[in-house]
Amino acid sequence: MKAAIDRNQDALNVRNVTKRFKVSKPPFWTRWRAQKGATGNGSTASGGRGGDAGMQGVVAIGGVSLDVHRGEIYGILGPNGSGKSTLVRMLSTLLIPDEGQVLVFGLDVVRHEMEVKRVINRVSVDAAFFKKLSPLENLLYGARLYGMTGGEARRKSIDILGRLGLEARSYTQPMDEMSRGMQQKVAIARAFLTQPILLLLDEPTTGLDPRSKYEVQEFVNELRDCHDATILITTHDMGEADRLCDRIAILDEGRIVAEDTPAGLKRLIRRNGHEPTLEDVFMQLTGKKLSGAEEFDPEPVEVAN
Amino acid sequence: MFARLNLRTEVLQSYAFVARNFNLIKRYWGWELVWLAYSTATSLAVVFIGEGSALITGAEDIDTSYFVLYLLLGTLVWGFLSGLFNDISEMIQWERWEGTIEYTLMAPVHRFTQIIGQAGFAVLHSLLFTMTIGVAMIIFFSLDLSDANLFGALLVLLAGSLSLVSLGVMASILPLLYTERGTQMTHIVQAFLLLISGVYYPIEVLPSVLQTLARVSPVYYVLNGIRSAVLEGTPTSELWGYIVPLLIIGVVGMPLGVWVFRQAELYAKRHGKLKRVG
Ligand SMILES: Nc1ncnc2c1ncn2[C@@H]1O[C@H](COP(=O)(O)OP(=O)(O)OP(=O)(O)O)[C@@H](O)[C@H]1O
Ligand SMILES: [Mg+2]
């Protein structure tokens, strides 16, 4: 069967996707001791979101659906552990969903893995590289995996690294001699290099200085405008999300609690006094346990979808 | 699955692994030297057993130079094959350690292509490494190889590489399944191969159960073939008895290795075993 990417379809359809992880059990002697203790005072040893002691597990993503249209910059915000990276990994074929389906330009990421892989790339918050190799050597390796020749890869790498403001002398020195921010730029270059039409950015600017952040954001905009790329980005920088994203989903405990344009999200909450910021929205929608919650409008939020 | 391979792309992709690994060796050259010194020393230690055989046993009619060459071939062949096995079986472990595994597995590369690249590197690397030690030893013990069929020996070695690659691929998945202890488990596979394959002794001295196992170990055929070619000078036309079983193990083993690897990859993707941070 021949399957092909259809550029006229949505860049991404996520349909009711769920992912659970088994939580590693504590060693049996700890469990035994805890059990012995529990008969005395009635407390239990099992923890985590749901599940009994035998099938302990955590629901990292619980029934998420979303659509990203071609050419959009789509943001995902959410607290630590809300499932952003898990979702991004499922979109990039690194995790297989337990339930539901992910389509990239109309192709199922599990059934048409290879076709999907050719058109996507991902930047994650940890810039993972062969640490003793230089940026150029790492980028050459990455580009060759996507079928580029050495010469072409070298030319493009130098171009992108320069655009990201990396000094030429560091191109050939080992990665582990570079600062975290510089490594992150090389990670971004690695993804841009293969000209993905769907780019998955998992906290790409975490750890970058303000100017570098700005450069990356500019580059993301340019990729979308000039290279017809669609971008899905997660970030903890509310200002960045506000500036960059056409639409934003807010994820909390593995579920989407709101999805709208930045302006639309802000309209969801009303504040007496000043204009709400995206940070206010984030706080209110994900902040059940926040003390002093009465500071916010107690009116229940209407979830747009 | 293999139907629509674009040959040019596959070659470029395979080469990515070869080039990357040689770049790594260049950067870790100090470690390579240490390993060379270590391997030379252990080979010497084994070969000196042969030199000392008359002294150890008190027997005078031992053909010492034959024994020395017998042991030398054992240690060199084992050095080559275990080096090859290591290079292949470490391919996951290394990338886990660097954290690059997600990027490599996310790239549009067939596992078969990846394994070919990795194997190509491993054969070249181990061959260069072993030849360096071999030449040093031949000079050190002033051995006479004028009657040896070195070309035939090389053929046997290359045929054996194919089957060791598939074993290595199957072992390489252990770190995917057992995140912490995977590498140590590949050492057990190696130790077992060393025991049963008759590296330093004829397998006839082993208990019959182990002898039976030896007959399915590719290392056994490589050793016998090479000893026959070098010690007896057997012509290449008579080495097929060793080469054919090796080719069969390799040709059956390779697709099996790719399949097993793919299953492990799917398992890891279902249970979140690839993840590092973020
Ligand atoms: N491979 C894994 N194995 C087990 N549990 C996992 C795995 N990956 C994620 N989890 C769990 O799933 C939940 C969601 O994690 P995830 O990394 O997706 O969060 P996140 O939104 O990216 O957080 P952060 O903002 O800190 O990056 C967490 O409870 C985490 O412990
Ligand atoms: Mg994350």
Side-chain angles (χ1 to χ4, degrees):
Chain A
M1 186 181 62
K2 206 173 151 202
I5 291 292
D6 179 358
R7 284 195 176 227
N8 294 319
Q9 300 238 18
D10 272 348
L12 193 61
N13 302 117
V14 178
R15 294 187 183 149
N16 212 6
V17 161
T18 295
K19 186 77 209 167
R20 296 178 203 88
F21 290 111
K22 282 218 186 76
V23 175
S24 44
K25 286 191 208 155
F28 69 90
W29 58 87
T30 339
R31 275 182 279 150
W32 179 70
R33 277 225 308 261
Q35 224 164 38
K36 253 179 55 171
T39 53
N41 57 29
S43 72
T44 74
S46 68
R49 284 180 220 158
D52 56 90
M55 255 294 289
Q56 273 194 12
V58 50
V59 181
I61 288 289
V64 163
S65 298
L66 56 87
D67 299 305
V68 179
H69 313 304
R70 174 177 158 194
E72 253 189 323
I73 300 183
Y74 188 96
I76 296 183
L77 305 181
N80 295 129
S82 54
K84 303 181 296 297
S85 300
T86 303
L87 183 59
V88 169
R89 283 195 172 88
M90 285 193 281
L91 311 183
S92 49
T93 76
L94 292 169
L95 277 175
I96 298 175
D98 294 338
E99 287 157 36
Q101 194 184 28
V102 178
L103 302 177
V104 169
F105 290 99
L107 289 189
D108 185 299
V109 291
V110 179
R111 277 180 44 223
H112 300 290
E113 191 183 342
M114 201 54 83
E115 287 82 0
V116 169
K117 280 172 165 178
R118 286 197 188 100
V119 299
I120 63 170
N121 214 325
R122 157 178 171 266
V123 177
S124 95
V125 63
D126 75 310
F129 286 103
F130 291 92
K131 295 173 205 52
K132 286 283 175 214
L133 297 190
S134 68
L136 266 185
E137 286 166 337
N138 270 296
L139 291 182
L140 237 63
Y141 167 63
R144 282 188 177 122
L145 290 184
Y146 286 75
M148 243 184 247
T149 62
E152 187 190 1
R154 182 177 296 271
R155 222 173 338 98
K156 283 192 176 154
S157 304
I158 289 173
D159 177 45
I160 295 179
L161 289 175
R163 302 266 306 278
L164 288 170
L166 210 73
E167 287 171 58
R169 67 178 167 79
S170 58
Y171 294 177
T172 51
Q173 82 193 28
M175 294 287 302
D176 62 1
E177 289 172 18
M178 301 168 79
S179 76
R180 217 192 84 69
M182 289 156 81
Q183 293 186 18
Q184 189 63 13
K185 286 187 183 179
V186 183
I188 290 163
R190 169 171 60 192
F192 290 174
L193 191 57
T194 65
Q195 292 184 335
I197 57 175
L198 173 62
L199 186 57
L200 306 162
L201 303 173
D202 192 357
E203 296 185 42
T205 58
T206 299
L208 295 189
D209 67 51
R211 174 166 293 108
S212 303
K213 270 191 187 182
Y214 182 75
E215 281 163 359
V216 170
Q217 291 163 11
E218 282 288 281
F219 210 31
V220 167
N221 266 323
E222 188 191 313
L223 269 179
R224 189 262 301 267
D225 297 339
C226 308
H227 298 280
D228 194 20
T230 305
I231 286 129
L232 180 131
I233 179 169
T234 83
T235 178
H236 290 302
D237 180 337
M238 299 298 134
E240 174 171 281
D242 204 352
R243 272 195 303 283
L244 213 51
C245 299
D246 302 314
R247 284 190 304 146
I248 292 175
I250 296 189
L251 203 62
D252 190 27
E253 301 209 332
R255 291 175 192 282
I256 293 186
V257 293
E259 186 199 46
D260 208 332
T261 58
L265 284 174
K266 288 178 208 162
R267 277 197 297 274
L268 283 177
I269 65 166
R270 270 183 293 112
R271 295 281 312 263
N272 306 327
H274 69 85
E275 272 292 294
T277 64
L278 211 49
E279 193 165 311
D280 297 328
V281 178
F282 182 93
M283 290 299 212
Q284 174 151 347
L285 293 184
T286 64
K288 289 168 293 296
K289 293 145 214 134
L290 206 70
S291 58
E294 66 276 1
E295 189 189 326
F296 294 106
D297 191 341
E299 206 177 315
V301 172
E302 207 188 305
V303 174
N305 206 343
Chain B
M1 179 184 174
F2 300 107
R4 292 198 306 132
L5 296 190
N6 175 341
L7 197 61
R8 189 184 124 88
T9 311
E10 309 297 322
V11 170
L12 278 170
Q13 291 175 330
S14 292
Y15 180 66
F17 293 94
V18 179
R20 179 202 79 190
N21 288 343
F22 275 112
N23 279 333
L24 282 170
I25 287 189
K26 245 171 28 199
R27 299 281 181 174
Y28 287 97
W29 62 270
W31 172 239
E32 198 72 9
L33 281 186
V34 170
W35 188 237
L36 194 64
Y38 170 85
S39 307
T40 313
T42 44
S43 291
L44 276 173
V46 168
V47 176
F48 273 119
I49 298 175
E51 288 283 352
S53 55
L55 276 178
I56 298 170
T57 59
E60 269 154 31
D61 53 350
I62 296 180
D63 184 349
T64 309
S65 65
Y66 184 92
F67 193 20
V68 163
L69 200 51
Y70 182 94
L71 288 176
L72 178 63
L73 290 176
T75 177
L76 288 182
V77 168
W78 177 247
F80 172 81
L81 294 179
S82 63
L84 185 73
F85 181 85
N86 273 337
D87 278 347
I88 302 279
S89 64
E90 278 173 4
M91 80 185 168
I92 294 293
Q93 186 56 28
W94 186 294
E95 292 220 48
R96 271 195 96 89
W97 177 67
E98 298 271 22
T100 52
I101 181 122
E102 288 193 324
Y103 296 92
T104 298
L105 291 187
M106 206 174 70
V109 180
H110 292 102
R111 290 303 149 242
F112 184 73
T113 309
Q114 176 175 3
I115 288 165
I116 292 291
Q118 199 80 26
F121 160 77
V123 170
L124 279 176
H125 178 222
S126 296
L127 208 55
L128 287 174
F129 198 87
T130 312
M131 268 167 32
T132 312
I133 301 176
V135 169
M137 299 288 242
I138 289 166
I139 296 169
F140 193 89
F141 290 102
S142 40
L143 295 170
D144 175 19
L145 292 179
S146 50
D147 294 333
N149 174 8
L150 293 179
F151 174 75
L154 187 68
L155 274 191
V156 176
L157 199 64
L158 291 180
S161 302
L162 199 61
S163 41
L164 255 289
V165 166
S166 43
L167 273 181
V169 169
M170 290 184 226
S172 73
I173 65 165
L174 290 170
L176 271 185
L177 307 182
Y178 308 98
T179 335
E180 277 93 32
R181 292 273 165 267
T183 333
Q184 281 86 330
M185 289 160 87
T186 65
H187 294 324
I188 296 180
V189 180
Q190 267 193 54
F192 190 69
L193 280 177
L194 175 64
L195 172 69
I196 62 164
S197 306
V199 176
Y200 300 121
Y201 39 77
I203 62 162
E204 284 73 24
V205 304
L206 292 171
S208 62
V209 184
L210 294 185
Q211 284 191 39
T212 316
L213 287 174
R215 282 175 215 286
V216 292
S217 159
V219 181
Y220 167 74
Y221 294 97
V222 180
L223 283 161
N224 274 359
I226 287 183
R227 283 197 172 121
S228 167
V230 176
L231 292 172
E232 331 293 349
T234 309
T236 307
S237 58
E238 287 167 34
L239 290 174
W240 294 108
Y242 307 104
I243 294 177
V244 169
L246 286 172
L247 288 180
I248 291 175
I249 299 178
V251 166
V252 174
M254 276 297 266
L256 188 66
V258 174
W259 184 82
V260 167
F261 191 97
R262 181 72 186 146
Q263 298 312 304
E265 180 186 347
L266 290 175
Y267 170 87
K269 287 177 173 178
R270 255 183 235 117
H271 295 93
K273 300 277 189 184
L274 298 178
K275 175 191 144 98
R276 287 253 312 171
V277 248

